[in-house]
Amino acid sequence: MPVLVMKFGGTSVATLDRIRRAAKRVGVEVAKGYDVIVIVSAMSGETNKLVGFVEETSPLFDAREYDAVVSSGENVTAGLMALTLQEMDVPARSWQGWQVPLVTTSQHSSARIVDIPTDNITRKFGEGMKVAVVAGFQGISPEGRITTLGRGGSDTTAVAFAAAFDAQRCDIYTDVDGVYTTDPRICDKARKLDKIAFEEMLELASLGAKVLQTRSVELAMRYKVKLRVLSSFEEQSDEAGTLVCDEEEIMELNVVSGVAHSRDEAKMTLVAVEDRPGIAAGIFTPLSEAGINVDMIVQNISDEGHTDMTFSCPVNQVARAEKALKAAMEAGSIAFSELVADTEVCKISVVGIGMRSHTGVAAKMFKVLSEEGINIKVITTSEIKISVLVERKYMELAVQALHHAFDLDKAS
Ligand code: ASP
Ligand code: MG
């Protein structure tokens, strides 16, 4: 029998009623002849509650016990989903991570999947079981301790199962009906994409389109797992949602597939740093040690042995970054005349795999922004993405203008 993986996120299993709705969707796929592996998250809000319990009990908690506690939300939904399916006369049973066993590394709270043996579950399918309900987000370390895969990790569990069982598809049921060309709250012309390439999705996911855990997309790309993102709150057809797939499966590649934004960015400039070997390391090593998520980096042309170094980071890390850089200056490892922080910027990016074969995307982006009177402060590019920092007050305007200019607006 072909295998289908269906993953239900926290909002899709938030109440017994919703679990029933989800189970009905599973029943539809079983009736089509699939052996189904269902991956469940904890009921929405549950994992946060458990994390809170751990932090209140023990501020410097033992990560092994953290995992033992926070993984338990998924155990509840796995059991309830199996019971609901049984009530519908669908042969089902639940599996906790260790029972599979889903083997991970020992990095508690952010473990990586090492192996998913398929024999136990396959044997049960052979004996007439139709649905294996697996608790997402959790596994077992080589030391025999319970581990978790990091927040949002059940997406990764689902893709890993799809790869291990060579599933026809991995359907991710969530509270949005797919991946959009941009944030519909900012641009009412945002359109749902029918298909998007893995690489585009990766760029959009890490840019803040929070539909899928980034690691799950990386894994899907590596094993060519067809991923579909769809809503569990709407009646569904086989074409519903957005298919995240290999670019070869997309006939006509978009030059630009989406416009992403990240609101709370800051730009920091070190003025007149010495231009000599080791200076970049001297700046960015203390920043990384302080846990600063540096994003864009620009070094100016040198003038009389000195240069300006600019980088961006989340606005709530500015104080920490300043402290780290001033400490490095006092320790004598770097020198600069001034440290200037601009905390009123945002990042806007256009993403599209078609950029590889089309020229002029950057020029067009800059022209559109200039026509709106928006000044660009920093630019970075990659093969399939162009990002700029602009003043935060222009964020909505920039997204809307670019969305329109790159022909992404939905027909009205
Ligand atoms: N329940 C876990 C979390 O909220 C895992 C998941 O839902 O993906 O992070
Ligand atoms: Mg999620």
Side-chain angles (χ1 to χ4, degrees), residues 282-355:
I283 293 169
F284 293 103
T285 306
L287 288 173
S288 94
E289 282 165 2
I292 308 296
N293 298 313
V294 172
D295 180 19
M296 304 163 134
I297 299 177
V298 180
Q299 182 180 338
N300 285 36
I301 195 162
S302 162
D303 184 19
E304 293 181 359
H306 285 83
T307 180
D308 295 343
M309 190 77 90
T310 298
F311 65 92
S312 70
C313 69
V315 75
N316 61 6
Q317 295 183 355
V318 165
R320 230 181 328 140
E322 279 173 342
K323 196 168 155 220
L325 291 170
K326 284 184 180 149
M329 169 109 134
E330 272 154 34
S333 53
I334 53 171
F336 51 85
S337 68
E338 226 185 317
L339 179 58
V340 189
D342 179 352
T343 55
E344 294 295 324
V345 295
C346 69
K347 182 170 75 167
I348 311 284
S349 309
V350 300
V351 173
I353 239 166
M355 276 183 214

Side-chain angles (χ1 to χ4, degrees), residues 175-226:
D175 50 5
V176 293
D177 61 354
V179 180
Y180 278 70
T181 49
T182 194
D183 185 343
R185 288 166 303 185
I186 289 192
C187 176
D188 60 7
K189 302 241 166 64
R191 195 164 40 82
K192 183 176 76 70
L193 290 159
D194 292 332
K195 287 184 178 183
I196 184 166
F198 290 126
E199 283 174 75
E200 293 173 324
M201 188 65 224
L202 269 181
E203 292 289 0
L204 291 170
S206 56
L207 291 171
K210 297 188 188 68
V211 221
L212 291 169
Q213 198 196 34
T214 308
R215 269 168 66 193
S216 72
V217 184
E218 285 165 2
L219 203 62
M221 181 157 111
R222 176 138 38 97
Y223 292 100
K224 296 205 188 242
V225 172
K226 266 195 221 174

